[in-house]
Amino acid sequence: MANEIHLELLLGKAVLDSTGKAIGRIEEVRAFKQGEEWIVQEYLIGYAAVLERLSAWTVGLGILHLLGARKIHGGYTIPWDKLDLSDPNKPRLRCSLDKLKSLSQQQDAQ
């Protein structure tokens, strides 16, 4: 049986780590269509995720570099199976923060 969650209700929710500390908010969800359903691949959290959500990563990164920022950090990708949504109002990580990929690392690789 598939689990269904209204994604629009997840956007903006703070994600908690195993200690209950907020590590960022869900800003974007990456999914693919399989038949008639959409399958979630990963969730994006943090400041860098806001830029990606707005499709403004390249422009935003350029502006931040002009303002003196050398390394942009502040976003992570969470694989679908690493986020506990049993309580959609309080999403929690199922792994440690150091197991997640940084959005800035992914953008640097592209």
Side-chain angles (χ1 to χ4, degrees):
M1 181 170 136
N3 292 326
E4 294 184 15
I5 294 178
H6 290 270
L7 290 178
E8 70 274 14
L9 300 178
L10 283 179
L11 293 177
K13 297 286 185 197
V15 175
L16 307 175
D17 67 8
S18 60
T19 67
K21 178 183 172 193
I23 59 167
R25 295 186 178 278
I26 298 173
E27 300 294 346
E28 183 68 271
V29 178
R30 290 183 181 156
F32 63 94
K33 192 167 186 176
Q34 185 174 12
E36 295 296 316
E37 297 181 345
W38 285 91
I39 309 298
V40 171
Q41 288 181 294
E42 58 194 6
Y43 302 90
L44 308 182
I45 63 168
Y47 300 114
V50 173
L51 291 175
E52 181 153 328
R53 180 178 182 187
L54 299 174
S55 299
W57 179 260
T58 304
V59 173
L61 187 60
I63 291 170
L64 291 172
H65 281 296
L66 285 173
L67 295 174
R70 295 290 168 239
K71 185 75 172 166
I72 308 304
H73 192 33
Y76 295 94
T77 60
I78 304 174
W80 71 270
D81 61 339
K82 302 294 186 214
L83 190 61
D84 178 0
L85 295 173
S86 57
D87 180 356
N89 290 315
K90 294 182 182 177
R92 296 182 83 84
L93 276 183
R94 290 184 171 160
C95 64
S96 61
L97 190 59
D98 63 339
K99 300 288 184 202
L100 300 179
K101 289 183 183 176
S102 164
L103 277 173
S104 58
Q105 290 172 336
Q106 287 183 340
Q107 293 298 330
D108 290 345
Q110 292 179 355

